[in-house]
Amino acid sequence: NLEEPLQKTFCFPAVKDCISQDIDHILETQSALAVDLGGTNLRVAIVSMKVPSSFKDNASSQIQCQGKIVKKYSQSNPKTYEERIDLILKMCKEAFIDAVHLNCRVLGVGVSTGGRVNPQDGVVLHSTKLIQEWSSVDIRTPISNALHLPVWVDNDGNCAALAERKFGHGKGVENFVTIITGTGIGGGIVQHNELIHGSTFCAAELGHIMVSLDGPECMCGSRGCIEAYASGIALQREAKRLNDEDQLFTEGMALKKEEPVSAVHLINAARLGNPKADAVLRTAGTALGVGIVNILHMVNPAMVILSGVLASFYENPVRQIINQRALSSARDIQVMSSELEEPALLGAASMVLDYATRR
Ligand code: ADP
Ligand code: BMX
Ligand code: MG
Ligand code: CA
Ligand code: ZN
């Protein structure tokens, strides 16, 4: 058996110790800058790759890495192309300087963005109204020129899926889907361990699965998309509508006159027994659930991972709808909320760490 002596050498205590320490030393400081551009926020982070200490106890186990957000920067996503690019570069430069002081070796920049993205070219092909002036945009070149670093780009939902595959519930799961709720609804599909991009980089735009023939208008120009029912912006629209009709305020609720009405108020109102707010949220949960049933019937994943601000809120309604409406063969799947702090940012960083540290 040729493998036996090799294994023995690898597990020899002194050698094992030395390997563990080396890998710790190398990987703890290997870092990426991650950028996430959403319908509301622009975030940048320094993300380092960390090997958990349990690796030291078991040299034969696979190296399981964790992405650690060392420092994070948040701003509103500007409304114009020029302001946005300027702010991205400014935030990245600041993060790069901080990374040097924090002893993080930056290997590259990973960008997660709303819109259809060609990752090979580093170009945002097209965006809905959720991000204005963000179509046919080469995002790689300006960042790469400013920082002299390699740049990887993908859609934010796709990045969230990459994060789940590397650091989250999706680790070792061959087929899974993720749905991320923020201002809009993003999606990512991992099939046979690989992300699906489709023929024109429009696969896994799961927010635009339609669940009614008419339904509310969507930012994409169509109607009845799950994003138009269940996203942050859709819930805010409904909260505003109820507020205009003087139906939002519920006893026990803190709602100041000048405060902008948001999804948070709608959820609070429903919790305090407001039947109109409750009805809106039920419709939202049903729409998302029905959309997910369509996904189950199309790609039959083993797991659906929900992430973003509304994930835990939707977990149970989605399970219920699956039980009521999915074909029995597709029903037996896990629905879970992500445990990752910032899936889109971590996924953006994983593109850098995966490519830059590959041997
Ligand atoms: P982006 O869409 O820019 O990626 P986020 O993922 O940060 O942004 O989500 C912002 C959206 O989530 C906004 O629409 C905001 O109103 C909504 N939101 C923020 N916090 C909460 C919360 N606690 N509950 C419900 N919705 C929230
Ligand atoms: C929109 C669309 C998706 C994106 C999703 C979630 C654009 C600009 N965005 O459906 O590509 O994945 O929003 O984005 O076309 P977020 O703003 O909620 O993070
Ligand atoms: Mg987002
Ligand atoms: Ca996607
Ligand atoms: Zn749509």
Side-chain angles (χ1 to χ4, degrees):
N1 184 349
L2 273 176
E3 277 175 18
E4 211 174 287
L6 277 178
Q7 265 173 15
K8 276 196 184 130
T9 316
F10 191 65
C11 291
F12 188 70
V15 176
K16 184 188 120 179
D17 242 33
C18 149
I19 291 171
S20 305
Q21 277 166 14
D22 268 349
I23 288 177
D24 258 13
H25 175 73
I26 298 163
L27 297 185
E28 267 186 356
T29 54
Q30 304 275 56
S31 305
L33 294 188
V35 179
D36 178 35
L37 283 144
T40 307
N41 297 305
L42 162 51
R43 296 197 177 90
V44 170
I46 305 165
V47 180
S48 77
M49 191 153 76
K50 191 169 156 45
V51 180
S53 50
S54 61
F55 173 70
K56 287 179 193 149
D57 305 329
N58 187 2
S60 61
S61 76
Q62 275 196 329
I63 304 175
Q64 302 247 315
C65 299
Q66 286 169 355
K68 184 173 146 209
I69 296 181
V70 180
K71 191 162 181 187
K72 191 165 80 176
Y73 313 77
S74 281
Q75 296 282 336
S76 299
N77 190 352
K79 299 277 176 264
T80 65
Y81 164 82
E82 252 143 51
E83 285 174 292
R84 191 173 299 127
I85 287 283
D86 287 351
L87 186 57
I88 294 169
L89 297 182
K90 185 169 160 268
M91 289 169 83
C92 283
K93 283 178 190 164
E94 188 188 336
F96 186 77
I97 292 166
D98 289 349
V100 173
H101 292 131
L102 289 161
N103 205 20
C104 294
R105 197 157 78 84
V106 178
L107 302 171
V109 184
V111 181
S112 147
T113 174
R116 270 58 59 208
V117 172
N118 176 338
Q120 277 112 52
D121 297 349
V123 168
V124 183
L125 301 169
H126 174 254
S127 288
T128 70
K129 281 189 289 185
L130 210 52
I131 308 183
Q132 307 271 350
E133 301 189 15
W134 207 233
S135 296
S136 307
V137 171
D138 173 0
I139 173 91
R140 172 178 289 154
T141 305
I143 299 179
S144 167
N145 285 347
L147 293 168
H148 306 288
L149 285 168
V151 178
W152 286 265
V153 190
D154 209 333
N155 165 267
D156 51 9
N158 297 4
C159 286
L162 290 178
E164 297 297 342
R165 186 180 71 176
K166 193 171 175 69
F167 309 119
H169 291 310
K171 247 187 280 181
V173 181
E174 204 180 327
N175 301 298
F176 75 89
V177 165
T178 193
I179 302 254
I180 180 161
T181 47
T183 315
I185 292 187
I189 302 176
V190 169
Q191 192 80 314
H192 305 309
N193 302 308
E194 294 295 333
L195 211 51
I196 291 183
H197 284 95
S199 61
T200 58
F201 309 103
C202 196
E205 274 293 347
L206 302 180
H208 305 283
I209 286 180
M210 289 164 220
V211 293
S212 72
L213 295 182
D214 36 31
E217 269 178 40
C218 184
M219 298 297 267
C220 72
S222 186
R223 321 184 72 99
C225 302
I226 57 174
E227 181 172 295
Y229 284 102
S231 63
I233 207 169
L235 296 187
Q236 183 181 45
R237 179 199 67 219
E238 291 302 293
K240 280 183 177 154
R241 184 180 59 78
L242 287 182
N243 195 40
D244 291 346
E245 295 167 2
D246 275 334
Q247 308 244 33
L248 183 65
F249 188 80
T250 315
E251 217 178 304
M253 205 169 126
L255 179 60
K256 295 181 204 97
K257 271 249 169 313
E258 335 70 62
E259 199 182 348
V261 173
S262 75
V264 181
H265 297 109
L266 192 76
I267 292 169
N268 279 343
R271 287 209 173 113
L272 291 165
N274 181 326
K276 301 252 172 181
D278 190 59
V280 168
L281 289 173
R282 274 174 199 278
T283 305
T286 304
L288 183 64
V290 169
I292 289 176
V293 169
N294 289 333
I295 299 168
L296 303 188
H297 292 166
M298 197 169 350
V299 289
N300 189 22
M303 187 184 279
V304 174
I305 305 168
L306 304 174
S307 66
V309 286
L310 296 160
S312 58
F313 177 79
Y314 284 130
E315 201 179 311
N316 280 328
V318 164
R319 277 205 195 103
Q320 262 181 24
I321 299 292
I322 291 175
N323 286 333
Q324 290 163 6
R325 302 228 197 168
L327 287 168
S328 58
S329 316
R331 206 180 287 165
D332 192 20
I333 57 136
Q334 285 180 283
V335 176
M336 41 205 348
S337 290
S338 175
E339 281 175 351
L340 301 177
E341 191 190 328
E342 288 272 6
L345 277 175
L346 287 173
S350 86
M351 297 190 286
V352 178
L353 298 171
D354 278 356
Y355 283 95
T357 61
R358 122 192 106 158
R359 299 192 203 273

